[in-house]
Each structure stands twice: as C-alpha cells, then as structure tokens.
Amino acid sequence: MNTASKLESPDCKKNILLVTHQILQSNDHAKKMLKIANDNLNRAVDALQNKLFEQTAIEKNIFKTREVYDIIRRQFLGLKKEYERTLDKKIDLQHKIFSPQRATEMAKNIFVRGGFKKLRSDFYRLKKDEEKFSKNLLAFHTREKFFKNRDWSADERSVFLQEKYFLYKQKTLLEIEKNRLANFKISLQHRQFDLENLCQKPDSQKKIQLIAAGILRKNFKFVRSFEEVESNLKNLSQRIRHTKKQMDTLKIRLSLETRSSCYKIDSPENHSDSSAASLIADAILREPEAVQLVAYCPDDCLETERTWSLMSELDKDALIFKEMVRDL
C-alpha cells in the first residue's frame, strides 16, 4: 500500500483525528493556564504598585493640589481595572450557573446514560448532512438544466453519453441519500419519543428530581460566588462614580490655580497617601465629615493654616471667591 492509500484508509484517518484532537486539547489547556498566570501577574503588579504607593509617605500630612489629583487619578484607573476583572469573573460564573430547568435537563440525560446528549449529536449530524444534500441537489439541477439546454449536435457522441451517464448516476445517488436522510430522521424522532416516555414514568421522575437536586446543590457554590461578585460590582461602580467626581473637581481646581495650594490632614499616622488624598478630595467636595479633618492653605503652605471646621459657611464662600478672583 502506497503512502496516499494509507492516508486515505479509515484507521489512519481515525488516528489523525484523534491526534489532532489531543493537540487541540493540549493547546486549550495551555491557553487557560497562560490566562490564569497572566491574571495573577496583573493582580500582583497592581497590589505591589498600591503597596509601594501607600508606603511612600505614611507620616505625610501636607499635600498639594497636584499631588492629590495624581493620587485620585491613579485610584480611579485602579478601580476601573478592578471593575473590568470583576466583570470578567461575573461572566465566567454566569456560564457555570445552572437554572432549575437546565439542571433537570442534565439530570434526564444522566438518567438515560447520555442518551439525550447522543441524540442531540445525531440531530446535529442530520442537519449538516441535510445542508450538504441541499447543496449537491442544487448543483445537480444546475448541471442537468445546462445539459438539457445545450446543443449536442456539434459534440462527439461519447461526450454526450458520458455526461448523460454522470447525471443519471448523480440522480441515483441523490435519491439514495434522500431516502437515507428521511429514514435517519424518523429513527431519531422515534429515539426521542422513547427517551421522553421513559423519563415521564413516575419512578423515573423521582430519580430525575433527586439527580437534579444534587446538581443544584453542587452548583450553589457558584451561585453564592456570583452574588458576591455582583455585590462587589455594585460597590466598585459607586466608588468609581465618586472617585470620578473627586477627580473632575480637582481638575477644575487645578485649572484655576496660579500658585500651589496645600491641604493638611489631622492624624497622618492613621492615613496612607491614598486615604489622605481621598479625604482631602471629599473636603473639597464639602462633605461634612471630611471638612472637619482637613485644613486649607490657599497661597503658601507655610502660612497660618485655617481649618475648615472653624470657618463659617460665609467665610468658606468668601475664601473660595477670593481664590477664584485672584487666579483670573
């Protein structure tokens, strides 16, 4: 047997498909492992950056507007990355969560030892064969029409007979395939009917319900994780909106400044740079809890500090107006 014939043999084709499937499965596993490693690396880098950033000046208590803006901007970008990663996790969990209806379908398939899965596979194969048959039938009709409309008087008799024989053979093969597909479809419908009837019996229903309950019980860990992820997404969304508001306000303040303004926080030992910047940004947004903990130096950080909590609302407005007029 030559090489070409050997490659066309059923056993050789089967072995080639098996090896190809193993290679593809191996590649899928490698891709999954690479994605997991890449995600872990991204998380580690983000955590390291945040840790280094927080440790740069634990005892620092005076910040310029530009410093506050840069910190808040980094927080905003970090929150967006975290939101995207959490959203990917939610999508992944959605594919792992089974509805009661889906669990029942899985239980039915387990009960009949994979009968429904095999049936779906055969219906899919029938669909593909019917599509192929339709294409071949269309090609046959096109060629047959051309044959009937062609003037064969100028051609050799042998060419005419060959084409006529080819069309006859194709028509016969198509008739055989048509009958095969019809019989195959009927047999699948009978199998489906028998499987459904088996599952409708009272004893079968009880066993299927027990199997479905077991599936849902095992699947509950994914449901719980999904709920936690949804809660995290809601929290992250709120934090992103608030941080965006802080960042926009600081950006406007920076555009109005001609000289650096400074802010001082109480108890710097209780705040990292990130929390201190957020506290200052909240004070600029006039949030009462933050205002009480931040002092503002409009022109020079060495000038006497004026605490927001000790100023009346009229004084605060006058101070801001003075700063805006000065920067015009």
Side-chain angles (χ1 to χ4, degrees), residues 100 113 166 198 231 284:
R113 302 180 183 276
F166 173 82
L198 176 61
S231 178
I284 294 173

Side-chain angles (χ1 to χ4, degrees), residues 133 136-137 140 170-178:
F133 173 78
N136 291 338
L137 184 63
F140 169 78
Q170 285 297 106
K171 185 176 182 179
T172 303
L173 292 175
L174 287 170
E175 285 293 332
I176 294 172
E177 179 65 4
K178 182 180 178 180

Side-chain angles (χ1 to χ4, degrees), residues 102-288:
R102 173 62 177 150
T104 301
E105 292 299 321
M106 294 173 65
K108 286 169 63 177
N109 185 61
I110 293 171
F111 176 71
V112 296
R113 302 180 183 276
F116 281 109
K117 183 177 180 180
K118 179 66 169 58
L119 183 65
R120 285 195 299 272
S121 176
D122 287 341
F123 266 118
Y124 179 77
R125 182 156 56 92
L126 172 64
K127 180 183 176 183
K128 289 297 179 183
D129 287 348
E130 286 177 335
E131 290 174 354
K132 183 179 179 181
F133 173 78
S134 296
K135 290 180 180 179
N136 291 338
L137 184 63
L138 179 62
F140 169 78
H141 285 315
T142 301
R143 190 162 180 172
E144 183 184 43
K145 183 178 180 180
F146 178 79
F147 176 80
K148 291 180 178 178
N149 294 333
R150 181 175 176 179
D151 182 9
W152 290 97
S153 59
D155 294 292
E156 295 182 2
R157 180 69 175 173
S158 59
V159 176
F160 169 79
L161 293 175
Q162 286 176 0
E163 184 66 15
K164 185 177 181 180
Y165 172 74
F166 173 82
L167 290 172
Y168 173 77
K169 183 180 178 181
Q170 285 297 106
K171 185 176 182 179
T172 303
L173 292 175
L174 287 170
E175 285 293 332
I176 294 172
E177 179 65 4
K178 182 180 178 180
N179 292 333
R180 185 190 74 82
L181 291 174
N183 292 331
F184 187 36
K185 185 174 184 178
I186 291 172
S187 70
L188 293 182
Q189 290 171 341
H190 286 166
R191 278 170 54 193
Q192 184 176 25
F193 180 80
D194 292 340
L195 289 171
E196 293 291 351
N197 274 351
L198 176 61
C199 292
Q200 291 301 320
K201 294 179 179 179
D203 289 343
S204 300
Q205 285 284 307
K206 291 180 181 179
K207 292 178 181 179
I208 290 170
Q209 289 173 4
L210 285 174
I211 296 171
I215 291 172
L216 290 173
R217 189 165 51 250
K218 290 181 179 179
N219 192 245
F220 182 69
K221 62 181 180 181
F222 297 117
V223 176
R224 188 164 48 197
S225 297
F226 181 82
E227 291 173 349
E228 291 175 359
V229 166
E230 277 207 314
S231 178
N232 289 340
L233 281 173
K234 185 177 180 180
N235 180 49
L236 284 168
S237 181
Q238 292 173 347
R239 290 173 63 191
I240 287 171
R241 285 196 298 270
H242 183 67
T243 307
K244 181 67 165 59
K245 186 178 178 181
Q246 291 176 326
M247 190 171 65
D248 291 343
T249 302
L250 285 162
K251 190 173 182 180
I252 294 172
R253 178 156 291 230
L254 273 174
S255 68
L256 296 174
E257 285 187 354
T258 55
R259 297 176 61 188
S260 295
S261 295
C262 296
Y263 306 87
K264 181 179 178 181
I265 62 168
D266 293 337
S267 305
E269 65 277 2
N270 297 330
H271 297 282
S272 65
D273 280 7
S274 295
S275 62
S278 184
L279 185 65
I280 293 169
D282 285 343
I284 294 173
L285 287 171
R286 299 295 192 86
E287 295 191 7

Side-chain angles (χ1 to χ4, degrees), residues 252-259 261 296 298-299 320-328:
I252 294 172
R253 178 156 291 230
L254 273 174
S255 68
L256 296 174
E257 285 187 354
T258 55
R259 297 176 61 188
S261 295
Y296 172 57
D299 296 317
I320 292 172
F321 179 77
K322 179 183 176 183
E323 184 185 10
M324 291 178 65
V325 170
R326 183 202 64 199
D327 292 335
L328 289 176

